[in-house]
Every structure is written in structure tokens, then in C-alpha cells.
Amino acid sequence: MKGKGKDTTLKLTTGHGPGQASLAYVTVAGKGSKEHYVATAGADGKVYLRDSLILEPVHMAKVDAPPATILAVDPAGKFVAVGDDKNVKLYKVPSLSLEKVACRFALTLRALAFSPDGSKLAAAGDDSVVKLVDLKDGTVYRTLNCDEYVLSLAWDPLGTYLAASLRTGGLVLYDASTGKAVKRLDMSEQVDYSSPRRHTPCWHPDGGTVLAAPTGAEGDVVLLERLSWAEQGYLGGEHTKAVNVVAFSPNGLYVATAGQDKRLVVWDLAAASSVASAVAEEVMSGLAWKPEGNELAMVGESGGVGVWSSPVPTSHASPTASAEELEAAQRQQERQADAKRRAEKGRKEGEAMDLTPPEGGEIREEIIEEGIQDPADPDPAAARPTSSGAGGSEGGDEGGPSQRGGADGMGEGEGEVARGGRTHAGRAAAAAGRPVATRTIVRTIVAPPAGPNPQPPFQPGSTPPEAGKARFLCFNMIGSVSSRPTGDHNMIEVLFHDTSRFSARVPQLKDLYGFDRAALGDKGVLYSSPSAPGSEAEGGPAPSMLCFRPFDSWAPHSDWTAPLPPGEEAMCLASGSVFSAVATSRLLLRLFSLAGSQTALLRLDGPPLAMAAAGPLLLVAFHSGPPNQHTKSQSISVSLYDTIQMACVFTQPLPLTPGASLSWLGFTEDHGLPAVADSEGVIAVRTPDWGGRWVPVFEPPAARRSAEALWTVGLTAQQLYAVVCRAEAPRPPVSPRPYYTPMDLAPPVLALESGAAPEAEGRALLHLLSCGALRGRLDAAQLAGAVAEASDLTHLYTQEQYKADRELLRVFQKAVRGERHARALELAAQMASFKSLDGALKIANHNQARGLAERIREFMDRRQAEAEALPPLGGGMEEQAGPYEAAAGAAAGRRGHACTPIPFGRGVEAAEAREAAADAPSAGGAGGTQQQPLGPADLNAGAGGGGGGGLTPFAEMVTAPGSAGPNTGGLSTGPKGGRGLPTPNTLLQVATAKPDPGSDSHKRKPAPALNNPFARKAPKLAK
Amino acid sequence: MMPCIEKAYGPFRANIPVEVPLCLALALYRRGKCRIQAPDWMDRERLKTMLEEERTVPQYFQPVPQFYVEVARMLFTEARAIFGSNADVNEVQDLIEELKKVRNSKILDGLRKVSGAITVKLNNLSASESNKIRLLFEHSLNVWHQLSKNDKQWQEANMTGSLDTPASM
């Protein structure tokens, strides 16, 4: 730093005798202009008011008791206070006639400071006290005791604090209003009693936010923050000996310091570096910036007086410019730089022979025509359409000048766009000798919309780190992994939601690596730490570490730790039931078995974003490209790997809500379908149908979106589990431990006119989605010959079909009641079981929808015939001749196992329905009066009116909401009273009732009632 | 699902809140099988506003849960940890104590004003509070009633007496 710039040599003219001296600028408001004077006082006891340019004395006064060591100017510029050996005297400006004696001291005065409003004066010296004088009445209203000689004083620009530097080297800050010392600091070495040292501190003119004070013998200046009085920074490296005086420039941008090494340095405060320096022949005793312009006046200890003109180089902002001026100057500078840059860029582009738009940007062309134009003559140049990239398609002879012209235009161009101008006469027009039309084509390069950055990788269910606070490394449906900083390491705690899940509690892990990611699987936890730059005591940079801790293992030392090679960082982790996986910054996917053998090493297709595991499945989301600049969407793809089969099940792009980023990645708990959540809160599940598309299954309700944020934890086929957080704090805290709230999934289906509530249709869609997932698994199991699994799955599948049918029946009922028979028929065709179809038929009959009932019956007949013709589980893919071929065919195709393979008669069906109705009392429907139904129910016609029929107690008690019969209040013909035959509503209930496990369509026994002991008890209960 | 006499509670799934009776919650809590979420009204801010309202509005009582005294006591004795740190517990406890005191003084003030056989409407009184004043209140009202009846009789007797006397004489 030293000797960086050449030091200016300053020549001082002798003004005073040797000894402490002081100076200040005095501004006298003249007529229309301000005149600046320099007031100096010196050891010879003289006070001069000097011309600010040539320093010639204009006025002079002499104090009674020399030396006149200190001088201060009233902020209003009316008085000069001078301290001599005994008194503080006020002299009028500019005549320097004595106004009054402000206060008296026993020993020499050393320091004076006016309060910022000019009403008070602080004076101190060898008397070891600071006297505060009220100038109006001339009384000492407060005396601050400081036990030592005071070298200098500085009053804060807000008037609150008074800084005093002491002979012992201390700096004391007084609260001027109370007189209490708020802070004592040790700054410099002790100096002699007779030393001319000053150690003058200085407040930043901007409200005293910073106090600069000399510190140490090496010539440093410390910057103290107001109120905390903590060291904010140092100005050092220039002076070799202690600094004597510090002075802020009037706008606070610069600091001038003068030291015992006879050097003067001007510092840029923002950069804390020197901008100029000078040497003089003597040590400076006083420094003052001129209030206007760029001048620094000084007075030395040998009595020399001088002015350093333009201490701040012209390349820097003026030391006195106001904030507005500075801002304007900066803007100007920026504009210039911008223009220069643009010109440069434009030239480069011009050289590249093309106005190539930046990626995503475009060139717009504007044609301005001047002169006379013959409208009948279509000029080819004028007719050239305004198009992007037109510059490139320009003809060769014209292209050259055009581009050059464009570059020149851009060189001058200033502002948002660069322009290329071109003036030419229309060729055709010129050739034809017609009046010449001049046209100017202005090309404008439009910058591309700034695209978002690619989303950084994350662990699903982790919360961002906050200094000193615990955070979740992983929070999922199994439990949580939290990391709590304690001292120099973290404590990692693994907790399970279900505490009975593992016999032993997972011990706390003392984390010395600084793990910042964790994946909690059902067999163990995988941790990773980032690599650290090598300032470790162990030597060398710490690599990125991987660590796996199993929960229960039969063998000791089942945990493993592995460092990644230098330059490779763990980005995403996942831990499944048979494997652990890590995706690294080298775009490698490393698969490990649970005990740590490395089972696979694959290259990823892009930078990893997130991973999730479930069982043997691994889902990897990665950036397939840079984010789209127009839609502001991330370009993300996902791959699903099966680690047992060693197969990549699929790789496909992952569409998110436009503009959103991925916030969670996982699987549905029950079916293992890949699922994602984005930053808009929309949850999407990948359905195996439709060739594997993403279905949005949940959108946060608009009404609550502003007040709360859902932090996804997991989801099942029907419900979302999320922690409900406030919108201000969208991440849950570790303590208190968050709990999750189940929320029903609701795909954003439409509410059709006179249709069912969209919720019911949404639920039906969800059930169908589950059916699809189950069917896929079932097919796979059958293909693999896993009989037990297949039977389990078949059972689940049937159950799911029943649930779907139940919802469909609800929608069907609404459709029938809304007189939408065609839609109702389509709905019926989607139903899987004959029971449900029967229910649908009854509802149709009940609502007098004859045509509909007829068609349903026909459809049922056909399906039954088909089912009889097919072997059990035969696929059922044949074309179905339904009443609505397309719909029925589609339905049958979609639900290959929909038809129950074993035929059953209607009598059986009815009997079973009766049993089931008794079986499910809580769902028992309120009956409706029966109207001439077709099919099996026409036996029941006689029960119409229902008065004679006995009342089923259950029917009386409960009405199922949503599926209640058309006339809920009506009397019920229960199964008992109604000659053993069900009403449509009981049948609807049959369909909606939970299927009896094991007794249903898949392996239906002829007499299912026997399977159900409760069914036989029901009549008894009824009595 | 846990079927009980009154109704069935559950299903209990890990980390999903279920509303259960206090006794069940505490029983599970003692076995370390659950975490208890303090009821809404025991939220510090809610209690503060409630206390403020209770103080500023002397005419009527703030609506409080019927068994707030009992619930608070149970939770503070059995499951202090659910409120967070010790300071938090003490703050909530202080607030509830304060609320109790304010309400009690209000009740006593109200009782002082009772000076006859009147119908008193006391809304939003919690169980323990109504129990506290019931005996005294009921009896005093009875006495007042008796007195007023007697007074009426006496006056009637006076009236009829003054009328009757000459006639009977």
C-alpha cells in the first residue's frame, strides 16, 4: 500500500509560533454569496481569520494568556471559540472582536467542541474535567469528570454523544444529556503531560453513525459503530506512526488523517483504502475540509499553515458533493459505461456480419418511410416483413453496409435498445426513375426475458439451515432426522412417528462431518456432508462424506462411511428398503446395498435435483436442460429405477405448474406411484394409465392459499399428509415437533351443470387411478407367477373397484335425477360389478327413467353373457356390444377384470343383497317407495306405498348422506318387510357398503351369506 | 379405532392428531404413547386477549370452555411439558390464574348487587365457578324469596287486617 501513489509534497507558510495550533473553516454569508475564511489559532496566542485561498490574515485577535491551543467555530458561523491557557473566549466573526468569556479553567485548555445546534460548548484541557457551557447565559451547566488530561473532544452530529480522547490513550464516550460515560475504550499509548498530541476523533457527518478515532502507535484509524461501539473497520497501512488528527469530508465519503510521520492520507471510506497522500515538513495539529470544493486546510505543530488543493483525485467523487449530486453522477457514469458496453457489443455483432439476437431474444424491424412513395409500386424492401432474424436473410451487397450502419448506430445508441439504421433508396423505385422514397429501417434487438436459474438440488422433507437453530434434514412418513448445532458440531436425532416401529431407540449421532443432507428410509438413514475447503487442522480439504446407519442389524459394524473423491459432491440421497443411492455432482448415480456393497454406478442424464425411494424403487428428478426463459419453468425430467430388476422403468419429462419449482418428490404410500409437489402446492401423481401421465390430484384451496402453506410430507391414494404452516413461516420448526394433517385429495374436475358434486367425480377418478395402479401390479404379479401376491392384489383391486363404483353410483344418481340419462348410461357402463349395475338399474327405475333402465339391462345381459363365455380372469378384452358401444367397449377395455367371472343368478344376487343390507346397518338407506321396477325387482312391486311393510329399525335410524333415497322421509320397505327383496336404495347401499373380504366377485361362493356370521345375526338384532 | 361407551375414538395413526377425551389423552401421555396439543384457548395470545377483554368489559363474562379450570389444572399437573419451556408453562399458568381471579372478583361484585328475589342471568360461567357460588346463591335467593313472600303476606295481612277489622268488629 505504501508508496502506491506518489506523495504530494505540501509547502506550509509560517503562521504561528511552534506548538499546538488549531484551525477551522468559517463561512460568512455575504450578499448573495458565501465567503470562506480559515480561522487559525496558534501557540503565539494569536487568532487569525485568513483568506481561504492565499491564507493572508484578514482579521486578527490576540488572547491574553498564550498559547491559544484550540479553536472551534460555532455551527452557525457567528463565533469562534478560542481556548488559551485559562479561558475559553468567544470572538465574533468576522471582526474577531471579543464577545465574552465562556468559562474559565485553571490549567491549559486543549479541546473545544460546539454542540451541533450551537447552543452549547464543551471545553476541556489539562484540568481533567469536561465543562459543558450553555452559551446563552454563559453558565457551566454540567461538569464531566474524566480523571485525566483531555486531548480533544468531538460532539456527535446528533448531539447525543460527546467523545473525548484522554492523555492515557483512552477514548471516553459521554451521553451529553445525562453526563454519564457510556463507553470507555483503550485506543492509543499514553503521552506526556506536555505533549502536543491531539488524537482527535471525528464523527461521520451522517448522523454520527461512525466514529473514527486514531488507535495504536502504528497509525491505524478505527471505525466504531454508533451505539454498539464495536469496531466496524480499520483504515490502516499508510501511516507508520500514530495518527494525530482525523477529519471526515463534509459528505462523509472520505477521511483525511494526519500522523506523527508527517504524512497526510485521504481515504475512501467505502473501500477503506487510500486515494491520495501527501507529506509535509511538520506534524499536523489540525485539519479541516473546506465546506465547498475540494480543499483541505491544515496547520502544523511548528506553526505552518497550508492548503492542499484537490486532495481527492478528480477521478473520484467530490468530497463535498451532496448525496443527490453523487447519485446523479453515478447514474451518469453507469449510463456511459452501459453505452460503451453496448457500442462494443454492437461492434462485435456488426463484425459477425449479423444482428444475431441473443438466445430467446428477437430482432424487431421497423420501417420508417420518408419522401414521396408511390403506393402503386410495392417496393420489395418495404414489403419485406418485420421478422426476427431478418438481418441474416439480407442480400449480400446490401448486408454489408447495413450491418456497419447498424453498428455505428448502436455506438451512439443509449438506453434500452440498440438500433441499427439504414437508409437506402428503394431499388425498384430508383430503377424506374420514380420519385425517390427514403426509408429507414430501424432494427431493435429485444433482450430475451431473463430466465430463472436452475433450481438447486434438495432433499424432500428438509428445511433450510438457519444459524444456531435446529433443522430437519429429513421429515417423511416414517419419522424425522433433525440436526441441532451444539458448539462445533451437530447432534443428529432420528425419531419415528410410530415409536413402536423399532425396538431400540436410535441413538443420537454426534456429527463431526457437518452432514447437511439425510435420507430416512425404512431400514436406515443415509447422511452426506459437503466437502470443506482445507483449513482443517487435520490437513487438506475434507472430502464429501457418505455415511449409512442402519436401524437394526443382526451383525455388528453394519454401518458404513465412505468419502467421495475430491471434486465430487453428494447432491441427492435416497434410502429404500434394499438399497441406498446417492447422486453426485459428477452426474453419477451410485447405488449401494444396505450393508455397503456398491451395486451399481450409473451416469445420470442431467444434474440431479432430488431423489426419493420406496421399497426397491428409486425416483430421480434431474434437470434435463436450462429453465425455459419464456415460461420461467424448470426443465425437469424424472427417471424411475427398479433396483431389484436393475431396470429403468421410465424416463420422462416432469411438467410442473408453469413458473413453479419442484418442492417435494416421493411415492404414494399405498400404491407406490411416483408423486411430486411443486412450489404452488399442486400435487401430481403419475398414473400408469395413458402411457404414464401426471395427474394433478390436489390443489391448495384458493381461499386458504394466502394464509397458510402446506408442507408436503407424504400422500396416499386418497389423502395428502402435510404440515400446515403459516404463510410467513412456510417451513415447520423442529420444536415443537410438527404433526401432519390429512387432507382429502381432490383433482380439479369441473362441476357440470346438473351433474354431481365435483368431489364425487374427483373421488371416482382417484379410485380409478388406484385401480390402474393395482391392475399394473396385479398383471406384473401374475406374469411373475406370484400367486399369493396376486391373490392379495386381486382382493385389494376388487375393493378399490367397489369404492370406485360407489362414487360412480353417486354420480349416476345425480345424473339420473338431473335428467341426464345419456351421461348416466355412460357412468353405468364404467361400473365394474354387477351389483353396482343392479343398483344403477334400480335407481333408474325408481326415477322412472325407462329408457335408461332398458339400456342398462341390455348392457348387463351382454356383459353377463360375455362373462359366462370367458374363463375366469381371462382378460375380458373382447369387444362388447353395449347399448353404447363406444362407451361400453372403452370401459371394458379399461377395466379388463371388471366382469365377475362366475355367473350368478339374480336370485342369488338378491339374496346376497339382502344379507349385505343387513350386514351393513350403519349404511342402511332410507327406503323409497318402489315403482314398477324391471328385472329382479319387479317382484317387489307390490311393496309400493310401503305402509304395510315393516320398518327396518336400521333404515329408520340412519340415512346415509349423499346416497339417501329420493324421498328420504318416506317409509322404508326394508328387506324384512318387503318380502325379502331389496329396494333400489338398499341396493345402492349394498354397492356402497364395504365389500365382505374374501366373499366377493373374485372368488365368489354361491352362498356368501354363510361366510358372514354377522349377517345371520342381523335379523335377530332387528327384533 | 377405540370403541368406548360414549363413542369410538380413532383411528390412531402415527403423527396425525386425533381428538380424544382428556382422560384418554393423559393416560396415553403417561405411557409415552402420544403428544398432547394444548387446546386452542390455551394459546398464550388468545389468553392474553381474553384476559384483557375480561378486565375491560365488566358487564358480562367472556365465553370460556365449561371445564377450563379443571382442564388447565390437569394439564399443568400431568403434562407440563406440552407447553414448551418452563417459562412458557409459567406464563400460561399465570394467565389462567389471573383469568380465574378476574372472573371471581366479577362474580363477587355481582353477588353484592343482589338485593332481592330477582332472576339472575349468568352466562358463560364455567362449571367450577357456578359450583362455587351455587349453594350460597341459591340459598340467598331462596331467603330473599321467602322474605318477599312474607313481606307480601304481611302487607296483605295489613291491608286486609285494616279493612277487616272494622267489619269484624
Side-chain angles (χ1 to χ4, degrees), chain A residues 412-733:
Chain A
E412 295 145 20
E414 212 183 81
E416 289 300 308
V417 293
R419 278 155 193 229
R422 177 172 61 129
T423 311
H424 72 98
R427 273 172 295 166
R434 292 223 177 87
V436 175
T438 315
R439 47 184 73 82
T440 311
I441 300 181
V442 179
R443 288 204 203 109
T444 312
I445 299 182
V446 181
N453 290 328
Q455 196 187 348
F458 68 98
Q459 283 299 117
S462 66
T463 55
E466 275 178 74
K469 276 193 182 167
R471 61 177 284 217
F472 282 121
L473 296 179
C474 186
F475 188 100
N476 57 22
M477 296 294 280
I478 300 170
S480 68
V481 183
S482 61
S483 166
R484 181 167 43 85
T486 40
D488 58 342
H489 60 274
N490 298 331
M491 292 306 287
I492 291 186
E493 191 179 20
V494 179
L495 288 175
F496 298 107
H497 297 316
D498 183 357
T499 44
S500 59
R501 188 176 178 112
F502 294 100
S503 48
R505 224 172 131 254
V506 179
Q508 284 209 345
L509 173 68
K510 189 176 171 187
D511 161 29
L512 295 169
Y513 293 114
F515 292 133
D516 67 338
R517 289 162 206 278
L520 174 65
D522 40 12
K523 290 293 190 318
V525 196
L526 181 66
Y527 302 99
S528 81
S529 70
S531 66
S535 61
E536 304 283 318
E538 301 94 65
S544 185
M545 294 295 288
L546 279 180
C547 175
F548 183 76
R549 299 277 173 137
F551 297 139
D552 339 272
S553 176
W554 58 272
H557 308 301
S558 291
D559 55 328
W560 50 269
T561 306
L564 288 175
E568 190 168 347
E569 290 275 338
M571 310 285 267
C572 303
L573 308 175
S575 178
S577 56
V578 291
F579 72 99
S580 288
V582 56
T584 69
S585 56
R586 277 177 61 196
L587 307 193
L588 286 179
L589 178 64
R590 295 171 179 273
L591 294 180
F592 301 85
S593 73
L594 289 180
S597 69
Q598 307 193 26
T599 50
L601 188 57
L602 309 170
R603 263 197 186 283
L604 284 170
D605 300 343
L609 176 59
M611 291 206 298
L617 298 177
L618 171 67
L619 187 64
V620 184
F622 58 89
H623 287 288
S624 53
N628 190 322
Q629 284 162 327
H630 292 289
T631 60
K632 308 256 189 265
S633 300
Q634 307 279 335
S635 307
I636 303 171
S637 291
V638 284
S639 296
L640 183 70
Y641 298 94
D642 188 326
T643 53
I644 290 179
Q645 309 282 333
M646 291 196 280
C648 178
V649 181
F650 66 84
T651 297
Q652 63 172 200
L654 171 62
L656 296 176
T657 312
S661 52
L662 188 66
S663 66
W664 181 83
L665 182 74
F667 290 90
T668 58
E669 292 290 309
D670 38 8
H671 301 315
L673 295 177
V676 296
D678 64 30
S679 54
E680 295 289 310
V682 179
I683 314 281
V685 170
R686 185 184 180 273
T687 167
D689 298 332
W690 305 104
R693 293 295 110 177
W694 293 91
V695 183
V697 291
F698 182 81
E699 287 179 353
R704 289 157 68 189
R705 212 177 284 190
S706 58
E708 61 185 33
L710 296 179
W711 193 72
T712 312
V713 178
L715 75 159
T716 63
Q718 306 301 323
Q719 281 185 314
L720 166 72
Y721 299 100
V723 180
V724 181
C725 301
R726 282 174 300 129
E728 310 91 78
R731 309 271 177 271

Side-chain angles (χ1 to χ4, degrees), chain A residues 497-498 721 737-740, chain B residues 13-17 35 37:
Chain A
H497 297 316
D498 183 357
Y721 299 100
R737 197 170 151 75
Y739 54 87
Y740 37 76
Chain B
R13 282 176 296 171
N15 211 31
I16 292 175
R35 287 181 283 144
Q37 275 177 264

Side-chain angles (χ1 to χ4, degrees), chain A residues 994-1014:
Chain A
K994 210 176 163 200
D996 196 5
S999 73
D1000 286 311
S1001 53
H1002 169 48
K1003 292 174 184 167
R1004 192 183 297 281
K1005 312 265 187 321
L1010 293 174
N1011 286 345
N1012 192 345
F1014 199 66

Side-chain angles (χ1 to χ4, degrees), chain A residues 15-55:
Chain A
H16 293 279
Q20 265 187 327
S22 175
L23 91 166
Y25 269 99
V26 185
T27 307
V28 178
K31 290 181 191 74
S33 69
K34 286 178 186 169
E35 283 184 63
H36 297 291
Y37 294 99
V38 183
T40 60
D44 53 2
K46 283 171 180 155
V47 182
Y48 288 109
L49 200 64
R50 296 166 187 270
D51 182 86
S52 66
L53 288 176
I54 52 173
L55 299 175

Side-chain angles (χ1 to χ4, degrees), chain B residues 140-156:
Chain B
S140 50
L141 281 183
N142 276 345
V143 171
W144 279 114
H145 183 58
Q146 201 61 43
L147 282 176
S148 61
K149 255 205 314 210
N150 289 352
D151 190 39
K152 217 188 239 171
Q153 273 179 359
W154 183 77
Q155 275 183 2
E156 270 172 19

